[in-house]
PDB file of all heavy atoms in Angstrom:
ATOM      1  N   ASP A 115    -172.066-128.357  71.332  1.00 94.00           N
ATOM      2  CA  ASP A 115    -172.148-127.115  72.111  1.00 94.00           C
ATOM      3  C   ASP A 115    -172.591-127.345  73.547  1.00 94.00           C
ATOM      4  O   ASP A 115    -172.150-126.642  74.446  1.00 94.00           O
ATOM      5  CB  ASP A 115    -172.995-126.029  71.431  1.00 94.00           C
ATOM      6  CG  ASP A 115    -174.208-126.553  70.696  1.00 94.00           C
ATOM      7  OD1 ASP A 115    -174.262-127.763  70.394  1.00 94.00           O
ATOM      8  OD2 ASP A 115    -175.114-125.758  70.417  1.00 94.00           O
ATOM      9  N   SER A 116    -173.475-128.319  73.779  1.00 94.00           N
ATOM     10  CA  SER A 116    -173.851-128.544  75.176  1.00 94.00           C
ATOM     11  C   SER A 116    -173.865-130.035  75.489  1.00 94.00           C
ATOM     12  O   SER A 116    -174.119-130.867  74.614  1.00 94.00           O
ATOM     13  CB  SER A 116    -175.221-127.923  75.475  1.00 94.00           C
ATOM     14  OG  SER A 116    -176.231-128.575  74.738  1.00 94.00           O
ATOM     15  N   TRP A 117    -173.611-130.346  76.748  1.00 95.00           N
ATOM     16  CA  TRP A 117    -173.501-131.739  77.167  1.00 95.00           C
ATOM     17  C   TRP A 117    -174.800-132.498  76.908  1.00 95.00           C
ATOM     18  O   TRP A 117    -174.776-133.662  76.532  1.00 95.00           O
ATOM     19  CB  TRP A 117    -173.109-131.811  78.655  1.00 95.00           C
ATOM     20  CG  TRP A 117    -173.018-133.207  79.141  1.00 95.00           C
ATOM     21  CD1 TRP A 117    -172.010-134.091  78.905  1.00 95.00           C
ATOM     22  CD2 TRP A 117    -173.997-133.907  79.906  1.00 95.00           C
ATOM     23  NE1 TRP A 117    -172.298-135.301  79.482  1.00 95.00           N
ATOM     24  CE2 TRP A 117    -173.512-135.214  80.104  1.00 95.00           C
ATOM     25  CE3 TRP A 117    -175.244-133.548  80.451  1.00 95.00           C
ATOM     26  CZ2 TRP A 117    -174.223-136.182  80.822  1.00 95.00           C
ATOM     27  CZ3 TRP A 117    -175.953-134.500  81.170  1.00 95.00           C
ATOM     28  CH2 TRP A 117    -175.439-135.807  81.344  1.00 95.00           C
ATOM     29  N   ASP A 118    -175.936-131.834  77.076  1.00 95.00           N
ATOM     30  CA  ASP A 118    -177.201-132.559  76.897  1.00 95.00           C
ATOM     31  C   ASP A 118    -177.515-132.829  75.424  1.00 95.00           C
ATOM     32  O   ASP A 118    -178.482-133.503  75.110  1.00 95.00           O
ATOM     33  CB  ASP A 118    -178.364-131.851  77.611  1.00 95.00           C
ATOM     34  CG  ASP A 118    -178.648-130.463  77.066  1.00 95.00           C
ATOM     35  OD1 ASP A 118    -177.920-130.003  76.151  1.00 95.00           O
ATOM     36  OD2 ASP A 118    -179.605-129.818  77.564  1.00 95.00           O
ATOM     37  N   LEU A 340    -177.729-123.163  76.994  1.00 79.00           N
ATOM     38  CA  LEU A 340    -176.639-124.067  76.602  1.00 79.00           C
ATOM     39  C   LEU A 340    -175.684-124.402  77.748  1.00 79.00           C
ATOM     40  O   LEU A 340    -175.395-125.555  78.007  1.00 79.00           O
ATOM     41  CB  LEU A 340    -175.815-123.444  75.459  1.00 79.00           C
ATOM     42  CG  LEU A 340    -176.458-123.434  74.081  1.00 79.00           C
ATOM     43  CD1 LEU A 340    -175.508-122.784  73.086  1.00 79.00           C
ATOM     44  CD2 LEU A 340    -176.813-124.834  73.616  1.00 79.00           C
ATOM     45  N   ASN A 341    -175.174-123.385  78.407  1.00 80.00           N
ATOM     46  CA  ASN A 341    -174.192-123.659  79.461  1.00 80.00           C
ATOM     47  C   ASN A 341    -174.509-122.860  80.710  1.00 80.00           C
ATOM     48  O   ASN A 341    -173.762-121.976  81.104  1.00 80.00           O
ATOM     49  CB  ASN A 341    -172.767-123.377  78.960  1.00 80.00           C
ATOM     50  CG  ASN A 341    -172.558-121.950  78.514  1.00 80.00           C
ATOM     51  OD1 ASN A 341    -173.514-121.236  78.205  1.00 80.00           O
ATOM     52  ND2 ASN A 341    -171.314-121.515  78.501  1.00 80.00           N
ATOM     53  N   PRO A 342    -175.640-123.157  81.346  1.00 81.00           N
ATOM     54  CA  PRO A 342    -176.003-122.411  82.558  1.00 81.00           C
ATOM     55  C   PRO A 342    -174.928-122.587  83.627  1.00 81.00           C
ATOM     56  O   PRO A 342    -174.243-123.613  83.667  1.00 81.00           O
ATOM     57  CB  PRO A 342    -177.326-123.055  82.981  1.00 81.00           C
ATOM     58  CG  PRO A 342    -177.315-124.410  82.356  1.00 81.00           C
ATOM     59  CD  PRO A 342    -176.542-124.268  81.085  1.00 81.00           C
ATOM     60  N   ASP A 345    -174.689-125.838  85.632  1.00 84.00           N
ATOM     61  CA  ASP A 345    -173.932-126.972  85.091  1.00 84.00           C
ATOM     62  C   ASP A 345    -172.473-126.874  85.495  1.00 84.00           C
ATOM     63  O   ASP A 345    -171.853-127.851  85.898  1.00 84.00           O
ATOM     64  CB  ASP A 345    -174.003-126.990  83.556  1.00 84.00           C
ATOM     65  CG  ASP A 345    -175.141-127.857  83.048  1.00 84.00           C
ATOM     66  OD1 ASP A 345    -175.972-128.278  83.888  1.00 84.00           O
ATOM     67  OD2 ASP A 345    -175.209-128.098  81.820  1.00 84.00           O
ATOM     68  N   VAL A 350    -170.309-130.194  85.074  1.00 90.00           N
ATOM     69  CA  VAL A 350    -170.658-130.700  83.746  1.00 90.00           C
ATOM     70  C   VAL A 350    -170.115-129.734  82.693  1.00 90.00           C
ATOM     71  O   VAL A 350    -170.353-128.529  82.759  1.00 90.00           O
ATOM     72  CB  VAL A 350    -172.196-130.816  83.591  1.00 90.00           C
ATOM     73  CG1 VAL A 350    -172.569-131.146  82.154  1.00 90.00           C
ATOM     74  CG2 VAL A 350    -172.735-131.867  84.546  1.00 90.00           C
ATOM     75  N   SER A 351    -169.372-130.273  81.725  1.00 90.00           N
ATOM     76  CA  SER A 351    -168.787-129.420  80.685  1.00 90.00           C
ATOM     77  C   SER A 351    -169.770-129.180  79.551  1.00 90.00           C
ATOM     78  O   SER A 351    -170.382-130.124  79.057  1.00 90.00           O
ATOM     79  CB  SER A 351    -167.575-130.105  80.065  1.00 90.00           C
ATOM     80  OG  SER A 351    -166.508-130.117  80.961  1.00 90.00           O
ATOM     81  N   ASN A 352    -169.881-127.935  79.159  1.00 91.00           N
ATOM     82  CA  ASN A 352    -170.581-127.582  77.924  1.00 91.00           C
ATOM     83  C   ASN A 352    -169.539-126.893  77.060  1.00 91.00           C
ATOM     84  O   ASN A 352    -169.025-125.841  77.427  1.00 91.00           O
ATOM     85  CB  ASN A 352    -171.745-126.635  78.226  1.00 91.00           C
ATOM     86  CG  ASN A 352    -172.832-127.332  79.032  1.00 91.00           C
ATOM     87  OD1 ASN A 352    -173.460-128.265  78.553  1.00 91.00           O
ATOM     88  ND2 ASN A 352    -173.030-126.896  80.263  1.00 91.00           N
ATOM     89  N   LEU A 353    -169.194-127.497  75.933  1.00 94.00           N
ATOM     90  CA  LEU A 353    -168.012-127.042  75.204  1.00 94.00           C
ATOM     91  C   LEU A 353    -168.220-125.757  74.408  1.00 94.00           C
ATOM     92  O   LEU A 353    -167.282-125.259  73.797  1.00 94.00           O
ATOM     93  CB  LEU A 353    -167.497-128.164  74.282  1.00 94.00           C
ATOM     94  CG  LEU A 353    -167.123-129.483  74.999  1.00 94.00           C
ATOM     95  CD1 LEU A 353    -166.525-130.476  74.016  1.00 94.00           C
ATOM     96  CD2 LEU A 353    -166.170-129.251  76.156  1.00 94.00           C
ATOM     97  N   VAL A 354    -169.429-125.219  74.406  1.00 93.00           N
ATOM     98  CA  VAL A 354    -169.706-124.032  73.589  1.00 93.00           C
ATOM     99  C   VAL A 354    -168.729-122.893  73.883  1.00 93.00           C
ATOM    100  O   VAL A 354    -168.357-122.141  72.986  1.00 93.00           O
ATOM    101  CB  VAL A 354    -171.177-123.555  73.750  1.00 93.00           C
ATOM    102  CG1 VAL A 354    -171.460-123.039  75.154  1.00 93.00           C
ATOM    103  CG2 VAL A 354    -171.543-122.525  72.701  1.00 93.00           C
ATOM    104  N   GLY A 355    -168.262-122.779  75.136  1.00 93.00           N
ATOM    105  CA  GLY A 355    -167.393-121.664  75.518  1.00 93.00           C
ATOM    106  C   GLY A 355    -165.971-121.793  75.003  1.00 93.00           C
ATOM    107  O   GLY A 355    -165.173-120.870  75.134  1.00 93.00           O
TER     108      GLY A 355
END
Side-chain angles (χ1 to χ4, degrees):
D115 37 342
S116 65
W117 179 76
D118 63 358
L340 286 180
N341 59 339
D345 267 10
V350 172
S351 288
N352 293 295
L353 302 185
V354 67

